[in-house]
Amino acid sequence: MSETDYDLVVIGAGPAGLCAGMYAARAKMNVLVLEKAAPGGQIIITDWIENYPGFPDGISGFDLGDKMLNQAKNLGVNIKTAEVLSMDVSREKKILNLDDGSISTKTIIIATGASPRKLNIGEEKFIGKGVSFCATCDAPFFKGKTVVAVGGGDTAVQESMYLTKFAEKVYLVHRRGELRATKILRERAFKNDKIEFIWDSVVSAMDGFFNVENVKIKNVKSGEEKTIKADGCFVWIGIIPNTGFVGDSLELDDQGFIVTDHTMATSVPGIFAAGDVRTTPLRQVTTAVSDGSVAVISAEHFIENNP
Amino acid sequence: MSETDYDLVVIGAGPAGLCAGMYAARAKMNVLVLEKAAPGGQIIITDWIENYPGFPDGISGFDLGDKMLNQAKNLGVNIKTAEVLSMDVSREKKILNLDDGSISTKTIIIATGASPRKLNIGEEKFIGKGVSFCATCDAPFFKGKTVVAVGGGDTAVQESMYLTKFAEKVYLVHRRGELRATKILRERAFKNDKIEFIWDSVVSAMDGFFNVENVKIKNVKSGEEKTIKADGCFVWIGIIPNTGFVGDSLELDDQGFIVTDHTMATSVPGIFAAGDVRTTPLRQVTTAVSDGSVAVISAEHFIENNP
């Protein structure tokens, strides 16, 4: 392999990318972590995390992201603010085109995450104050409460049923007249007393003094609007992997997530993916840090075998 | 399914098992975590952990185990001290025979870990004080030092080469006259100036005031002994999964680790494995907590689909 700027470039500084940086730095790899926005990833907009082991009383997502960032820095990880615009991975020496120049590297770990699709009705300001995109993460905070859920696919239906373990009442709002979810899930949801379906409708607005208090629902056929008193709103209308720069260089699944094997190897030798951006059965901080560490070991082995 | 005592029994309270307990408790599963010894697993005998994200300056293994235990308790996880002697998983209702009675459960997560094979020459008292079983974990603590490594397989050779990134000198002690490791690894190790091979030999003793200072090497053919001044001793003579109670009920790999798919499902429906006990490319705290969380989601889905 001709000389490259780096052994490893990690794209993204969420939990997967920061953990990859830590493992690579400790392995004395010449590593660079790129982040286009603020290091920390999705978790820094997560109000409270109870299920990442090591914090007996839970920890705010912001604090956890900050701790991970400082840990990476303490271990000597070099983090650069830059966006990857495109990549050329057709040769052994891989080129990343950034918004401020080009760099070359032997291996790449893509850890750019995924973003939940938004309603775009101003719900951002209630994230962590009633608005959530993850029942596994946040449902336990809604014990005995009333919540609105949005969506009609497998995730929306499954997560709504999960929510009923905690919430007193779940209004499931779907823009069509029937669910997209598989039959068995539909049947179970229809049997669930705590779920009330609101068909042909969208959430058009929400308000509240500090937390969500009212959710406005609009019927897309009649145009009628009504307001539901609710303590929260779970949005499950899709999740979008951050893979714009990947182009068609890697195998993606039908939703655009990067396909890997259990060593985090993608379809291109020397390129690995970790965290929410890859096809995976679960997207949590736990799985992200695991992916990040496994991907580094795999990148090390790749370099050993392709000196 | 006929009535069972539990939705889920987790066997083992290391990072994988405790994380599984946390996820299950938050998902309102009726869960029990069994541990035969002290909760925390292997990490509680690990001196210092730098590569588990969330602790900027690192954390002692004991403290991390304690934090995870308290977090599990705070989330309502019931942890019972008991050893699983055997299991009957031939029916949907799974039976675990403990040292103090039997319990039944819909699903099981096996998270019993694995133990590095010991030299049995009293090295235990130097664990974390020079003796280590994991280069990825501990090699960076040996910058510029002299270390003895023990073993002759792929792991021993690969990890010894990794050690030379940090250590000034690595003596690789092997009880035979040639390495078991694959040819490509052998060739690379022979080219590495920092590795000196000591053939037909075993480590027979070690001493030091607080940390390891001297390692005694015995030639098994001649009986001759010599002492090497060394700051550490890495032992890679095998790792033994804790699967005695499993019998032949599950598919194991040729080293006895439990084979799973990427959802942590074993060969028996409703039984999952997580952490060091399963066949996996990496055994770290990161991978253990990930496995634990994924296994719970899979157990939940199993129960949903087998009501």
Side-chain angles (χ1 to χ4, degrees), chain A residues 124-171:
Chain A
E124 284 87 347
K125 69 172 186 160
F126 289 111
I127 290 174
K129 301 183 181 73
V131 168
S132 172
F133 303 89
C134 174
T136 300
C137 312
D138 298 325
F141 302 125
F142 290 85
K143 280 192 191 117
K145 309 263 173 147
T146 296
V147 298
V148 171
V150 190
D154 280 353
T155 302
V157 173
Q158 194 150 36
E159 298 282 78
S160 292
M161 283 189 291
Y162 181 76
L163 262 181
T164 62
K165 289 190 183 188
F166 304 88
E168 193 51 42
K169 177 88 184 178
V170 175
Y171 292 97

Side-chain angles (χ1 to χ4, degrees), chain A residues 222-244:
Chain A
S222 67
E224 248 175 276
E225 286 196 314
K226 64 177 174 185
T227 297
I228 292 177
K229 282 207 171 304
D231 308 288
C233 183
F234 281 75
V235 181
W236 295 301
I237 53 174
I239 169 170
I240 309 164
N242 301 322
T243 51

Side-chain angles (χ1 to χ4, degrees), chain B residues 151-185:
Chain B
D154 281 353
T155 302
V157 174
Q158 192 150 38
E159 299 281 79
S160 291
M161 283 189 291
Y162 181 77
L163 261 181
T164 63
K165 291 191 182 188
F166 304 90
E168 195 51 42
K169 176 89 184 177
V170 175
Y171 293 97
L172 182 50
V173 178
H174 184 41
R175 66 162 58 238
R176 295 196 180 74
E178 57 183 336
L179 299 171
R180 266 188 303 111
T182 50
K183 186 158 174 262
I184 186 160
L185 288 175

Side-chain angles (χ1 to χ4, degrees), chain A residues 13-116:
Chain A
L18 287 174
C19 184
M22 293 176 206
Y23 268 76
R26 291 190 90 232
K28 287 205 169 181
M29 296 173 88
N30 181 11
V31 60
L32 177 69
V33 176
L34 299 173
E35 170 60 52
K36 69 172 178 179
Q42 284 280 116
I43 59 167
I44 62 174
I45 56 159
T46 304
D47 187 47
W48 199 249
I49 297 173
E50 279 187 347
N51 58 7
Y52 180 65
F55 299 91
D57 304 309
I59 183 168
S60 77
F62 185 86
D63 283 349
L64 183 57
D66 199 50
K67 282 178 190 291
M68 289 187 184
L69 177 61
N70 285 325
Q71 187 172 354
K73 286 179 176 169
N74 287 348
L75 291 169
V77 178
N78 187 6
I79 301 170
K80 176 184 160 83
T81 304
E83 183 170 4
V84 178
L85 302 177
S86 65
M87 55 188 203
D88 176 0
V89 295
S90 55
R91 279 172 291 264
E92 263 193 298
K93 181 175 180 164
K94 294 158 181 68
I95 309 293
L96 291 171
N97 299 308
L98 312 182
D99 48 6
D100 68 348
S102 287
I103 54 176
S104 65
T105 181
K106 291 178 188 167
T107 62
I108 296 170
I109 295 175
I110 301 174
T112 43
S115 316

Side-chain angles (χ1 to χ4, degrees), chain B:
Chain B
M1 198 182 280
S2 58
E3 207 168 318
T4 56
D5 297 327
Y6 296 99
D7 294 327
L8 168 64
V9 174
V10 179
I11 311 176
L18 288 174
C19 183
M22 294 175 205
Y23 269 77
R26 290 190 91 233
K28 287 205 171 181
M29 295 173 88
N30 181 12
V31 61
L32 177 69
V33 176
L34 299 173
E35 171 61 51
K36 70 173 176 177
Q42 284 281 116
I43 58 166
I44 62 173
I45 56 160
T46 304
D47 187 47
W48 198 250
I49 297 173
E50 280 187 348
N51 58 7
Y52 181 66
F55 300 90
D57 304 309
I59 183 169
S60 76
F62 185 86
D63 283 350
L64 183 57
D66 198 51
K67 282 178 190 292
M68 289 187 183
L69 177 62
N70 285 325
Q71 187 172 354
K73 285 180 177 170
N74 287 347
L75 290 169
V77 177
N78 187 7
I79 301 170
K80 176 184 161 83
T81 304
E83 183 171 4
V84 177
L85 303 178
S86 66
M87 55 187 203
D88 177 0
V89 296
S90 55
R91 279 171 290 265
E92 264 193 297
K93 181 175 181 165
K94 294 157 181 70
I95 308 292
L96 291 171
N97 300 308
L98 313 182
D99 49 6
D100 69 348
S102 288
I103 55 177
S104 65
T105 180
K106 290 178 187 169
T107 62
I108 297 170
I109 295 176
I110 301 173
T112 43
S115 315
R117 196 183 298 272
K118 304 290 191 327
L119 296 170
N120 291 319
I121 52 133
E123 79 271 28
E124 283 88 346
K125 69 172 186 158
F126 289 111
I127 291 175
K129 300 184 182 72
V131 168
S132 172
F133 303 90
C134 174
T136 301
C137 312
D138 298 326
F141 302 126
F142 290 86
K143 281 192 189 116
K145 309 262 173 149
T146 296
V147 298
V148 171
V150 190
D154 281 353
T155 302
V157 174
Q158 192 150 38
E159 299 281 79
S160 291
M161 283 189 291
Y162 181 77
L163 261 181
T164 63
K165 291 191 182 188
F166 304 90
E168 195 51 42
K169 176 89 184 177
V170 175
Y171 293 97
L172 182 50
V173 178
H174 184 41
R175 66 162 58 238
R176 295 196 180 74
E178 57 183 336
L179 299 171
R180 266 188 303 111
T182 50
K183 186 158 174 262
I184 186 160
L185 288 175
R186 287 200 310 262
E187 285 174 352
R188 269 184 225 149
F190 291 145
K191 274 189 210 146
N192 190 313
D193 290 340
K194 287 185 170 176
I195 300 179
E196 182 174 332
F197 291 86
I198 304 181
W199 303 109
D200 300 315
S201 298
V202 297
V203 168
S204 54
M206 58 182 71
D207 65 44
F209 183 68
F210 183 72
N211 291 310
V212 172
E213 293 170 24
N214 298 296
V215 176
K216 197 173 270 186
I217 315 281
K218 183 181 180 176
N219 186 303
V220 291
K221 290 194 166 168
S222 68
E224 249 175 276
E225 285 195 315
K226 64 178 173 186
T227 297
I228 293 176
K229 282 208 170 306
D231 308 289
C233 183
F234 281 75
V235 182
W236 295 301
I237 52 173
I239 170 172
I240 310 163
N242 302 321
T243 51
F245 63 96
V246 170
D248 56 1
S249 56
L250 301 178
E251 186 191 344
L252 306 178
D253 71 16
D254 55 10
Q255 290 174 80
F257 293 93
I258 300 172
V259 176
T260 70
D261 66 12
H262 71 291
T263 72
M264 305 303 135
T266 70
S267 56
V268 174
I271 303 192
F272 306 87
D276 289 1
V277 78
R278 76 177 187 98
T279 307
T280 171
L282 185 66
R283 295 189 168 88
Q284 293 279 289
V285 183
T286 53
T287 54
V289 298
S290 174
D291 285 5
S293 55
V294 172
V296 169
I297 305 301
S298 300
E300 276 189 272
H301 288 174
F302 176 83
I303 292 173
E304 277 167 24
N305 295 322
N306 298 273

Side-chain angles (χ1 to χ4, degrees), chain A residues 65 160 174 204:
Chain A
S160 292
H174 184 41
S204 54

